[in-house]
Structures are given as C-alpha cells and as structure tokens.
Amino acid sequence: MKINKAAIVCVLVTMLSGCKANNDSLSEFVSKVEAKARKDIAQLTPSIDFVAARYQQHELRPPFVLPKEAIVQSQPIVKKDCWQPRARSNSGKLEKYPLSKLRLKGVMGSGSSVSGLVQTPSGNVVKIKNGQFIGLNNGRVTKVTNKYVLINETLPDGLGCWHKRNVKLALK
C-alpha cells in the first residue's frame, strides 16, 4: 500500500508543479490577435442588371419546341435494312414481367418432355415448356434442362433494329 500512496503523491506533486499561473492579461492577448487579423474585405463584382427580351415569334413555332433543323441533326441515323421481329400480341402469363423479376423454382418431367416451374413476383408458379413466350422482350423458351431454362429474347437497339440474345434462368 505504501507504494501506491507514494505513486499517487508523486503524480499529484508532478501535476501541481506543472501548473503555472499565467499572469498575462486577457485583454492584451485579444488586442494582439485582433492586430494580426486581416481586415481587408474583397470587393464584390457589381451585379449585372437583367434585361428581359421579348419573344418574337418566328415561323409560328412554339417557344419550347426545337426547330426542325435542330431535331433532324440531333437524331441518330436509322438503319433501313435490318432484322425486325414479327408483330404479335403479348398474351402469355409470363409476358408481363421482366426476366430479372422471374425465378426458376423447379423442373419436372421425364425423358424429352421437361417443363420448368417459374415463379412470378406476386408468388404464383407457372409451368413453362419449349416454344412459350416469356418476359417483356418477346423472349421465347428454346431449351429446358434440369438446371436451367434457356430463353432467346429480342432487344431493340434504339435505331429501329432488333438483336437477339440468349438468357438463362437457372436454379439457385
């Protein structure tokens, strides 16, 4: 116990000896700091007065519609000779959902007649087989295996043409 008391007394003496009273005046310190401070104020640039311009109608064009010349120059060149999908009505149960929202939940069947079970975002499970349409982009089921469903979908390229790509819905 004597060691602990001695250590405490030693620490207290060290702390108290380190504290010296500062006799400097607070007002002198503040005046020194204020003297060092910059008092220059940057001049602001004068504001420009806004002058409203009156709209003068030109060739009876509405003011917020681009002129025809500007519209033609900003449009990409549309290709005329490219593949187009056949027009058809989207009437399948799974054609109103994007492929990213559909999940393959299982596969059933025997031999060559294999069907897939796809779950919709609302939780319903729908049976699909080869040739059925699925997804928003005219996707057609081309192959159903015990691990995935292969879908061939058509995507627009923005210039009036369409491209095909294969997408897999796999079991997780």
mmCIF file with all atom_site columns, all heavy atoms in Angstrom, residues 71-87:
data_model
loop_
_atom_site.group_PDB
_atom_site.id
_atom_site.type_symbol
_atom_site.label_atom_id
_atom_site.label_alt_id
_atom_site.label_comp_id
_atom_site.label_asym_id
_atom_site.label_entity_id
_atom_site.label_seq_id
_atom_site.pdbx_PDB_ins_code
_atom_site.Cartn_x
_atom_site.Cartn_y
_atom_site.Cartn_z
_atom_site.occupancy
_atom_site.B_iso_or_equiv
_atom_site.pdbx_formal_charge
_atom_site.auth_seq_id
_atom_site.auth_comp_id
_atom_site.auth_asym_id
_atom_site.auth_atom_id
_atom_site.pdbx_PDB_model_num
ATOM 1   N N   . ILE A 1 71 ? -33.802 19.260  -84.731 1.00 0.00 ? 71 ILE A N   1
ATOM 2   C CA  . ILE A 1 71 ? -34.278 17.915  -84.425 1.00 0.00 ? 71 ILE A CA  1
ATOM 3   C C   . ILE A 1 71 ? -33.652 16.914  -85.380 1.00 0.00 ? 71 ILE A C   1
ATOM 4   O O   . ILE A 1 71 ? -33.181 15.855  -84.967 1.00 0.00 ? 71 ILE A O   1
ATOM 5   C CB  . ILE A 1 71 ? -35.820 17.858  -84.503 1.00 0.00 ? 71 ILE A CB  1
ATOM 6   C CG1 . ILE A 1 71 ? -36.422 18.705  -83.387 1.00 0.00 ? 71 ILE A CG1 1
ATOM 7   C CG2 . ILE A 1 71 ? -36.317 16.433  -84.429 1.00 0.00 ? 71 ILE A CG2 1
ATOM 8   C CD1 . ILE A 1 71 ? -37.916 18.854  -83.457 1.00 0.00 ? 71 ILE A CD1 1
ATOM 9   N N   . VAL A 1 72 ? -33.591 17.223  -86.653 1.00 0.00 ? 72 VAL A N   1
ATOM 10  C CA  . VAL A 1 72 ? -33.035 16.314  -87.659 1.00 0.00 ? 72 VAL A CA  1
ATOM 11  C C   . VAL A 1 72 ? -31.548 16.084  -87.397 1.00 0.00 ? 72 VAL A C   1
ATOM 12  O O   . VAL A 1 72 ? -31.046 14.964  -87.489 1.00 0.00 ? 72 VAL A O   1
ATOM 13  C CB  . VAL A 1 72 ? -33.272 16.865  -89.086 1.00 0.00 ? 72 VAL A CB  1
ATOM 14  C CG1 . VAL A 1 72 ? -32.497 16.069  -90.106 1.00 0.00 ? 72 VAL A CG1 1
ATOM 15  C CG2 . VAL A 1 72 ? -34.748 16.845  -89.396 1.00 0.00 ? 72 VAL A CG2 1
ATOM 16  N N   . GLN A 1 73 ? -30.788 17.106  -87.021 1.00 0.00 ? 73 GLN A N   1
ATOM 17  C CA  . GLN A 1 73 ? -29.360 16.961  -86.805 1.00 0.00 ? 73 GLN A CA  1
ATOM 18  C C   . GLN A 1 73 ? -29.036 16.162  -85.544 1.00 0.00 ? 73 GLN A C   1
ATOM 19  O O   . GLN A 1 73 ? -28.015 15.496  -85.484 1.00 0.00 ? 73 GLN A O   1
ATOM 20  C CB  . GLN A 1 73 ? -28.692 18.339  -86.711 1.00 0.00 ? 73 GLN A CB  1
ATOM 21  C CG  . GLN A 1 73 ? -28.648 19.048  -88.044 1.00 0.00 ? 73 GLN A CG  1
ATOM 22  C CD  . GLN A 1 73 ? -28.052 20.441  -87.920 1.00 0.00 ? 73 GLN A CD  1
ATOM 23  O OE1 . GLN A 1 73 ? -27.749 20.890  -86.829 1.00 0.00 ? 73 GLN A OE1 1
ATOM 24  N NE2 . GLN A 1 73 ? -27.903 21.111  -89.045 1.00 0.00 ? 73 GLN A NE2 1
ATOM 25  N N   . SER A 1 74 ? -29.891 16.216  -84.535 1.00 0.00 ? 74 SER A N   1
ATOM 26  C CA  . SER A 1 74 ? -29.591 15.528  -83.289 1.00 0.00 ? 74 SER A CA  1
ATOM 27  C C   . SER A 1 74 ? -30.060 14.076  -83.284 1.00 0.00 ? 74 SER A C   1
ATOM 28  O O   . SER A 1 74 ? -29.699 13.321  -82.396 1.00 0.00 ? 74 SER A O   1
ATOM 29  C CB  . SER A 1 74 ? -30.223 16.265  -82.112 1.00 0.00 ? 74 SER A CB  1
ATOM 30  O OG  . SER A 1 74 ? -31.633 16.210  -82.215 1.00 0.00 ? 74 SER A OG  1
ATOM 31  N N   . GLN A 1 75 ? -30.857 13.655  -84.243 1.00 0.00 ? 75 GLN A N   1
ATOM 32  C CA  . GLN A 1 75 ? -31.354 12.285  -84.281 1.00 0.00 ? 75 GLN A CA  1
ATOM 33  C C   . GLN A 1 75 ? -30.313 11.349  -84.882 1.00 0.00 ? 75 GLN A C   1
ATOM 34  O O   . GLN A 1 75 ? -29.626 11.703  -85.838 1.00 0.00 ? 75 GLN A O   1
ATOM 35  C CB  . GLN A 1 75 ? -32.641 12.211  -85.129 1.00 0.00 ? 75 GLN A CB  1
ATOM 36  C CG  . GLN A 1 75 ? -33.798 12.979  -84.550 1.00 0.00 ? 75 GLN A CG  1
ATOM 37  C CD  . GLN A 1 75 ? -34.231 12.439  -83.214 1.00 0.00 ? 75 GLN A CD  1
ATOM 38  O OE1 . GLN A 1 75 ? -34.277 11.240  -83.007 1.00 0.00 ? 75 GLN A OE1 1
ATOM 39  N NE2 . GLN A 1 75 ? -34.526 13.322  -82.278 1.00 0.00 ? 75 GLN A NE2 1
ATOM 40  N N   . PRO A 1 76 ? -30.164 10.137  -84.318 1.00 0.00 ? 76 PRO A N   1
ATOM 41  C CA  . PRO A 1 76 ? -29.236 9.178   -84.911 1.00 0.00 ? 76 PRO A CA  1
ATOM 42  C C   . PRO A 1 76 ? -29.767 8.674   -86.249 1.00 0.00 ? 76 PRO A C   1
ATOM 43  O O   . PRO A 1 76 ? -30.960 8.739   -86.522 1.00 0.00 ? 76 PRO A O   1
ATOM 44  C CB  . PRO A 1 76 ? -29.177 8.056   -83.880 1.00 0.00 ? 76 PRO A CB  1
ATOM 45  C CG  . PRO A 1 76 ? -30.416 8.193   -83.082 1.00 0.00 ? 76 PRO A CG  1
ATOM 46  C CD  . PRO A 1 76 ? -30.799 9.643   -83.119 1.00 0.00 ? 76 PRO A CD  1
ATOM 47  N N   . ILE A 1 77 ? -28.863 8.181   -87.049 1.00 0.00 ? 77 ILE A N   1
ATOM 48  C CA  . ILE A 1 77 ? -29.233 7.677   -88.370 1.00 0.00 ? 77 ILE A CA  1
ATOM 49  C C   . ILE A 1 77 ? -29.921 6.323   -88.194 1.00 0.00 ? 77 ILE A C   1
ATOM 50  O O   . ILE A 1 77 ? -29.359 5.397   -87.616 1.00 0.00 ? 77 ILE A O   1
ATOM 51  C CB  . ILE A 1 77 ? -27.995 7.549   -89.269 1.00 0.00 ? 77 ILE A CB  1
ATOM 52  C CG1 . ILE A 1 77 ? -27.352 8.922   -89.440 1.00 0.00 ? 77 ILE A CG1 1
ATOM 53  C CG2 . ILE A 1 77 ? -28.356 6.936   -90.608 1.00 0.00 ? 77 ILE A CG2 1
ATOM 54  C CD1 . ILE A 1 77 ? -26.007 8.885   -90.122 1.00 0.00 ? 77 ILE A CD1 1
ATOM 55  N N   . VAL A 1 78 ? -31.140 6.218   -88.695 1.00 0.00 ? 78 VAL A N   1
ATOM 56  C CA  . VAL A 1 78 ? -31.917 4.998   -88.572 1.00 0.00 ? 78 VAL A CA  1
ATOM 57  C C   . VAL A 1 78 ? -31.565 4.077   -89.730 1.00 0.00 ? 78 VAL A C   1
ATOM 58  O O   . VAL A 1 78 ? -31.540 4.493   -90.892 1.00 0.00 ? 78 VAL A O   1
ATOM 59  C CB  . VAL A 1 78 ? -33.434 5.314   -88.570 1.00 0.00 ? 78 VAL A CB  1
ATOM 60  C CG1 . VAL A 1 78 ? -34.245 4.039   -88.509 1.00 0.00 ? 78 VAL A CG1 1
ATOM 61  C CG2 . VAL A 1 78 ? -33.773 6.226   -87.413 1.00 0.00 ? 78 VAL A CG2 1
ATOM 62  N N   . LYS A 1 79 ? -31.301 2.817   -89.393 1.00 0.00 ? 79 LYS A N   1
ATOM 63  C CA  . LYS A 1 79 ? -30.979 1.828   -90.420 1.00 0.00 ? 79 LYS A CA  1
ATOM 64  C C   . LYS A 1 79 ? -32.267 1.327   -91.041 1.00 0.00 ? 79 LYS A C   1
ATOM 65  O O   . LYS A 1 79 ? -33.245 1.078   -90.361 1.00 0.00 ? 79 LYS A O   1
ATOM 66  C CB  . LYS A 1 79 ? -30.204 0.672   -89.800 1.00 0.00 ? 79 LYS A CB  1
ATOM 67  C CG  . LYS A 1 79 ? -28.902 1.089   -89.176 1.00 0.00 ? 79 LYS A CG  1
ATOM 68  C CD  . LYS A 1 79 ? -28.278 -0.091  -88.471 1.00 0.00 ? 79 LYS A CD  1
ATOM 69  C CE  . LYS A 1 79 ? -27.077 0.346   -87.662 1.00 0.00 ? 79 LYS A CE  1
ATOM 70  N NZ  . LYS A 1 79 ? -26.556 -0.726  -86.834 1.00 0.00 ? 79 LYS A NZ  1
ATOM 71  N N   . LYS A 1 80 ? -32.258 1.157   -92.347 1.00 0.00 ? 80 LYS A N   1
ATOM 72  C CA  . LYS A 1 80 ? -33.468 0.717   -93.053 1.00 0.00 ? 80 LYS A CA  1
ATOM 73  C C   . LYS A 1 80 ? -33.491 -0.799  -93.258 1.00 0.00 ? 80 LYS A C   1
ATOM 74  O O   . LYS A 1 80 ? -34.533 -1.403  -93.257 1.00 0.00 ? 80 LYS A O   1
ATOM 75  C CB  . LYS A 1 80 ? -33.549 1.405   -94.428 1.00 0.00 ? 80 LYS A CB  1
ATOM 76  C CG  . LYS A 1 80 ? -33.537 2.908   -94.361 1.00 0.00 ? 80 LYS A CG  1
ATOM 77  C CD  . LYS A 1 80 ? -34.859 3.460   -94.010 1.00 0.00 ? 80 LYS A CD  1
ATOM 78  C CE  . LYS A 1 80 ? -34.807 4.969   -94.108 1.00 0.00 ? 80 LYS A CE  1
ATOM 79  N NZ  . LYS A 1 80 ? -35.755 5.634   -93.335 1.00 0.00 ? 80 LYS A NZ  1
ATOM 80  N N   . ASP A 1 81 ? -32.326 -1.408  -93.456 1.00 0.00 ? 81 ASP A N   1
ATOM 81  C CA  . ASP A 1 81 ? -32.275 -2.826  -93.807 1.00 0.00 ? 81 ASP A CA  1
ATOM 82  C C   . ASP A 1 81 ? -31.744 -3.659  -92.646 1.00 0.00 ? 81 ASP A C   1
ATOM 83  O O   . ASP A 1 81 ? -30.604 -4.068  -92.624 1.00 0.00 ? 81 ASP A O   1
ATOM 84  C CB  . ASP A 1 81 ? -31.401 -3.035  -95.031 1.00 0.00 ? 81 ASP A CB  1
ATOM 85  C CG  . ASP A 1 81 ? -30.005 -2.470  -94.843 1.00 0.00 ? 81 ASP A CG  1
ATOM 86  O OD1 . ASP A 1 81 ? -29.811 -1.671  -93.914 1.00 0.00 ? 81 ASP A OD1 1
ATOM 87  O OD2 . ASP A 1 81 ? -29.110 -2.865  -95.608 1.00 0.00 ? 81 ASP A OD2 1
ATOM 88  N N   . CYS A 1 82 ? -32.585 -3.882  -91.651 1.00 0.00 ? 82 CYS A N   1
ATOM 89  C CA  . CYS A 1 82 ? -32.176 -4.695  -90.512 1.00 0.00 ? 82 CYS A CA  1
ATOM 90  C C   . CYS A 1 82 ? -33.332 -5.594  -90.100 1.00 0.00 ? 82 CYS A C   1
ATOM 91  O O   . CYS A 1 82 ? -34.477 -5.388  -90.481 1.00 0.00 ? 82 CYS A O   1
ATOM 92  C CB  . CYS A 1 82 ? -31.712 -3.822  -89.354 1.00 0.00 ? 82 CYS A CB  1
ATOM 93  S SG  . CYS A 1 82 ? -32.916 -2.633  -88.800 1.00 0.00 ? 82 CYS A SG  1
ATOM 94  N N   . TRP A 1 83 ? -33.004 -6.585  -89.283 1.00 0.00 ? 83 TRP A N   1
ATOM 95  C CA  . TRP A 1 83 ? -33.982 -7.578  -88.878 1.00 0.00 ? 83 TRP A CA  1
ATOM 96  C C   . TRP A 1 83 ? -35.029 -6.978  -87.949 1.00 0.00 ? 83 TRP A C   1
ATOM 97  O O   . TRP A 1 83 ? -34.719 -6.194  -87.056 1.00 0.00 ? 83 TRP A O   1
ATOM 98  C CB  . TRP A 1 83 ? -33.266 -8.732  -88.174 1.00 0.00 ? 83 TRP A CB  1
ATOM 99  C CG  . TRP A 1 83 ? -34.205 -9.781  -87.701 1.00 0.00 ? 83 TRP A CG  1
ATOM 100 C CD1 . TRP A 1 83 ? -34.818 -10.741 -88.433 1.00 0.00 ? 83 TRP A CD1 1
ATOM 101 C CD2 . TRP A 1 83 ? -34.657 -9.962  -86.366 1.00 0.00 ? 83 TRP A CD2 1
ATOM 102 N NE1 . TRP A 1 83 ? -35.616 -11.518 -87.650 1.00 0.00 ? 83 TRP A NE1 1
ATOM 103 C CE2 . TRP A 1 83 ? -35.532 -11.058 -86.360 1.00 0.00 ? 83 TRP A CE2 1
ATOM 104 C CE3 . TRP A 1 83 ? -34.406 -9.312  -85.169 1.00 0.00 ? 83 TRP A CE3 1
ATOM 105 C CZ2 . TRP A 1 83 ? -36.162 -11.522 -85.219 1.00 0.00 ? 83 TRP A CZ2 1
ATOM 106 C CZ3 . TRP A 1 83 ? -35.032 -9.761  -84.031 1.00 0.00 ? 83 TRP A CZ3 1
ATOM 107 C CH2 . TRP A 1 83 ? -35.899 -10.856 -84.064 1.00 0.00 ? 83 TRP A CH2 1
ATOM 108 N N   . GLN A 1 84 ? -36.286 -7.326  -88.188 1.00 0.00 ? 84 GLN A N   1
ATOM 109 C CA  . GLN A 1 84 ? -37.404 -6.881  -87.366 1.00 0.00 ? 84 GLN A CA  1
ATOM 110 C C   . GLN A 1 84 ? -38.180 -8.108  -86.888 1.00 0.00 ? 84 GLN A C   1
ATOM 111 O O   . GLN A 1 84 ? -38.407 -9.032  -87.655 1.00 0.00 ? 84 GLN A O   1
ATOM 112 C CB  . GLN A 1 84 ? -38.369 -5.994  -88.177 1.00 0.00 ? 84 GLN A CB  1
ATOM 113 C CG  . GLN A 1 84 ? -37.760 -4.744  -88.735 1.00 0.00 ? 84 GLN A CG  1
ATOM 114 C CD  . GLN A 1 84 ? -37.502 -3.724  -87.653 1.00 0.00 ? 84 GLN A CD  1
ATOM 115 O OE1 . GLN A 1 84 ? -38.283 -3.555  -86.743 1.00 0.00 ? 84 GLN A OE1 1
ATOM 116 N NE2 . GLN A 1 84 ? -36.369 -3.046  -87.750 1.00 0.00 ? 84 GLN A NE2 1
ATOM 117 N N   . PRO A 1 85 ? -38.597 -8.147  -85.627 1.00 0.00 ? 85 PRO A N   1
ATOM 118 C CA  . PRO A 1 85 ? -39.401 -9.287  -85.162 1.00 0.00 ? 85 PRO A CA  1
ATOM 119 C C   . PRO A 1 85 ? -40.822 -9.196  -85.713 1.00 0.00 ? 85 PRO A C   1
ATOM 120 O O   . PRO A 1 85 ? -41.290 -8.115  -86.085 1.00 0.00 ? 85 PRO A O   1
ATOM 121 C CB  . PRO A 1 85 ? -39.385 -9.139  -83.642 1.00 0.00 ? 85 PRO A CB  1
ATOM 122 C CG  . PRO A 1 85 ? -39.173 -7.685  -83.408 1.00 0.00 ? 85 PRO A CG  1
ATOM 123 C CD  . PRO A 1 85 ? -38.331 -7.200  -84.548 1.00 0.00 ? 85 PRO A CD  1
ATOM 124 N N   . ARG A 1 86 ? -41.462 -10.348 -85.767 1.00 0.00 ? 86 ARG A N   1
ATOM 125 C CA  . ARG A 1 86 ? -42.854 -10.352 -86.213 1.00 0.00 ? 86 ARG A CA  1
ATOM 126 C C   . ARG A 1 86 ? -43.734 -9.681  -85.165 1.00 0.00 ? 86 ARG A C   1
ATOM 127 O O   . ARG A 1 86 ? -43.499 -9.824  -83.964 1.00 0.00 ? 86 ARG A O   1
ATOM 128 C CB  . ARG A 1 86 ? -43.359 -11.780 -86.400 1.00 0.00 ? 86 ARG A CB  1
ATOM 129 C CG  . ARG A 1 86 ? -42.775 -12.489 -87.587 1.00 0.00 ? 86 ARG A CG  1
ATOM 130 C CD  . ARG A 1 86 ? -43.394 -13.846 -87.740 1.00 0.00 ? 86 ARG A CD  1
ATOM 131 N NE  . ARG A 1 86 ? -43.451 -14.508 -86.425 1.00 0.00 ? 86 ARG A NE  1
ATOM 132 C CZ  . ARG A 1 86 ? -44.055 -15.645 -86.200 1.00 0.00 ? 86 ARG A CZ  1
ATOM 133 N NH1 . ARG A 1 86 ? -44.675 -16.273 -87.162 1.00 0.00 ? 86 ARG A NH1 1
ATOM 134 N NH2 . ARG A 1 86 ? -44.064 -16.189 -84.995 1.00 0.00 ? 86 ARG A NH2 1
ATOM 135 N N   . ALA A 1 87 ? -44.727 -8.960  -85.616 1.00 0.00 ? 87 ALA A N   1
ATOM 136 C CA  . ALA A 1 87 ? -45.665 -8.315  -84.691 1.00 0.00 ? 87 ALA A CA  1
ATOM 137 C C   . ALA A 1 87 ? -46.582 -9.384  -84.120 1.00 0.00 ? 87 ALA A C   1
ATOM 138 O O   . ALA A 1 87 ? -47.096 -10.227 -84.850 1.00 0.00 ? 87 ALA A O   1
ATOM 139 C CB  . ALA A 1 87 ? -46.469 -7.261  -85.425 1.00 0.00 ? 87 ALA A CB  1
#
